[in-house]
Amino acid sequence: MCAKAILKEPTIPVKDYDRDLLIELYRKMVSIRLFEQKVEHHFLAGDIPGFVHLYIGEEGIGTGVMANLTKEDYIESTHRGHGHTIAKGADLNRMMAEIFGKKTGYCKGKGGSMHIADFSVGMLGANGIVGGGYTLAVGAALASKLREDGRISVVFFGDGASNRGTFHEALNMAAAWKLPVLFVCENNEWASTTPYLTTTSVADIADRAQGYGIPGYMVDGNDVLSVYETSKEVVDYIRSGNGPVLLECKTYRIKGHFVGDPEKYRTKEEVQEVFDNNNPINRFEEKVLEAGVLSREDLDAVYVEVETAIEEAVRYALESPEPDPSELFDDLYV
Amino acid sequence: MAETKKITFSQATLEAMQEEMERDDTVFVMGEDIARQGGIFGQFKGLPDSFGSDRVRDTPITETAIVGAAVGAALAGMRPIADMHFADFMLVCGDEIYNQMAKVHYMFGGQKTVPMVLRAPDGLINQAAAQHSQSLEAIFQHIPGLKVVAPSNPADAKGLLKSAIRDDNPVIYFEHKALFNTKGDVPVEEYFTPIGKADIVTEGSDLTVVSYSNCLQTVAKPVAEMAEKEGISVELIDLRTISPIDKDAILESVAKTSRLAIIHEAVKQGGVGGEIAAIVAEEGLDYLDAPIMRFGSPFTPVPFARPLEQAYRLKPEAILEGIKRMF
Ligand SMILES: Cc1ncc(C[n+]2csc(CCOP(=O)(O)OP(=O)(O)O)c2C)c(N)n1
């Protein structure tokens, strides 16, 4: 017998949600969206070097999960990590400065887009190695278990990354030791240029939880409230000492794999269709307006506030100095 | 002279762990077969009795997750020690060592240190063949951000392990399998062997010999003794730390002796000897009265059959012949 992972549907009526929470969810999603639109713009303008991978269209996942975490909880992020970092509460100015390669950035210009970390909010770093974060999150969770500090660790990863051996090693170790880890698969249907069903043996990655004797759930990743509710439930379960959970959030990669990707492997229409009909920010707006919990004015006020903060982040990054060549050897050893 | 006691290399590493784990509860150990079995070389025997099986933890056979989890635990404020069973298995978790453990501190702009130790039993023991005998220090010397040590005796084994555990940088601790049962004098008082400092084992005036780990005891020392009999006064240096390398000790010695030979068990090609030779060629060429000589194992995997393994092993006599040609 092969038990299917459970597909979780939203249960709490939107009107029963706390207003402040809804505003916060909206603020986070819009912050990620506008932050990344600016990053895309400045990358194409030649102001940002390196590689940039955008999270646009997947904002509901990081936002929904992180709303259930405290600053003390740990997260491990991916090459597509701006959204997780913003949702975990990192400072937009220092993030933007890092992406621009400036001295005032989180990593003093040594990391860039793929390697932002903010240890002050438990964000243990984005990983340029696909599948590099799982075992680190397991280790952070082991630290929490040894210290009994009540923290949990969350690792985000893509559908492509779920085929790395580290996925299996980490799930097994976390399950064998009942560690407080939440594995969040962001299934955006693409791994670079490859559609995930052509390289993945199961239709639902959450089904793999079965192989490790842990709960596996699926949720609509473009519905922030679904993500929020389900992750609330699993975060509580993990915090109570029950061990790890695998949560697959179904979404879709709206942007190219990286900024500048010619995207020869799919049609513009396919992408547009998802963006028009299944965009987490629009869906959220429709839901809250329909339920009458937030008004258009409420949403606009948040939007304008975020816009200002992002403008400020860009200004901060542009005006910040680059690192001095003499800093090359700083932080090599302690 | 400080009071000493005679204990094995294995016992010395156990004492280091015992002392550091008592002092600091963020130190814990994990690896395959370390708690119930006490480690395949007995180097963890008794440790779970003092600290329990949470802090001395048997892992699944999952090197990638062991090293990755050690990095993650270090990021979360612990000081993990991960045991690699055999150094050869470090190659299973290349990403975790190369890209994670070594890079995090630098790549994240110094926000967080990775204070962890990887214990890696390496080197040739009888007929363990190609995948259980390797000396891998050169590949880790090549990675910025890591420290790499390789003690040759019980006193340094304890002192370096204690230093490694307290070091805020990630440290790879190579311990030669043939050394575990060797005995030596170890100070009774607490002490530390500094990372990054070579040891002048014997002073001499005609030739500097740099070696480390088991090879120092079983090859370089006999070579030095034979050379002395031939009237060559050897200054024998125990490198102890492979990275960061103690350039000053080597250059000062070569300035005095004008000749340099490097002897290590790892294959000669691409080895630590090449790095030392290059340092001296770059910064101490004027001191030299003869070409530098490197001695290392033949460029083959370690063979199994006894005659082949014998052919593979470094021979003090052959090295002595090479050295005599330097004069
Ligand atoms: C170990 C490793 N292999 C390959 C790559 C190159 N690479 C970067 S992202 C990516 C696709 C990842 O797909 P997925 O995990 O689904 O995440 P997504 O990009 O869709 O968010 C690949 C192949 C890498 N960075 N690391």
Side-chain angles (χ1 to χ4, degrees), chain B residues 172-195:
Chain B
I172 296 181
Y173 180 92
F174 282 112
E175 39 196 342
H176 198 290
K177 299 189 285 287
L179 283 170
F180 279 118
N181 285 327
T182 62
K183 283 197 163 177
D185 289 324
V186 172
V188 171
E189 291 270 291
E190 178 169 63
Y191 70 99
F192 296 89
T193 306
I195 295 178

Side-chain angles (χ1 to χ4, degrees), chain A residues 53-54 58 78-80 114 127-132 157-162 164 186-193 196 253 257, chain B residues 95:
Chain A
H53 306 81
L54 299 177
E58 305 179 32
T78 70
H79 60 287
R80 203 176 297 288
M114 273 194 289
N127 223 305
I129 304 294
V130 168
F157 58 98
D159 43 285
S162 75
R164 280 287 320 277
E186 302 180 309
N187 186 347
N188 64 15
E189 299 189 16
W190 291 95
S192 197
T193 65
Y196 94 104
R253 202 190 70 219
H257 173 53
Chain B
D95 174 52

Side-chain angles (χ1 to χ4, degrees), chain A residues 117 127 147 169 328 331 333-334, chain B residues 62 76 105-106 111 146 169:
Chain A
N127 223 305
R147 287 194 300 240
E169 295 203 21
L328 179 65
D331 303 316
Y333 293 100
V334 183
Chain B
T62 187
H105 181 249
Y106 187 84
Q111 285 185 70
L146 294 180
N169 299 285

Side-chain angles (χ1 to χ4, degrees), chain A residues 146-183:
Chain A
L146 288 169
R147 287 194 300 240
E148 297 175 3
D149 63 15
R151 298 175 187 195
I152 70 163
S153 296
V154 181
V155 52
F156 293 89
F157 58 98
D159 43 285
S162 75
N163 293 323
R164 280 287 320 277
T166 47
F167 172 82
H168 303 279
E169 295 203 21
L171 248 68
N172 178 63
M173 188 181 255
W177 290 348
K178 277 192 178 293
L179 299 179
V181 194
L182 173 57
F183 293 86

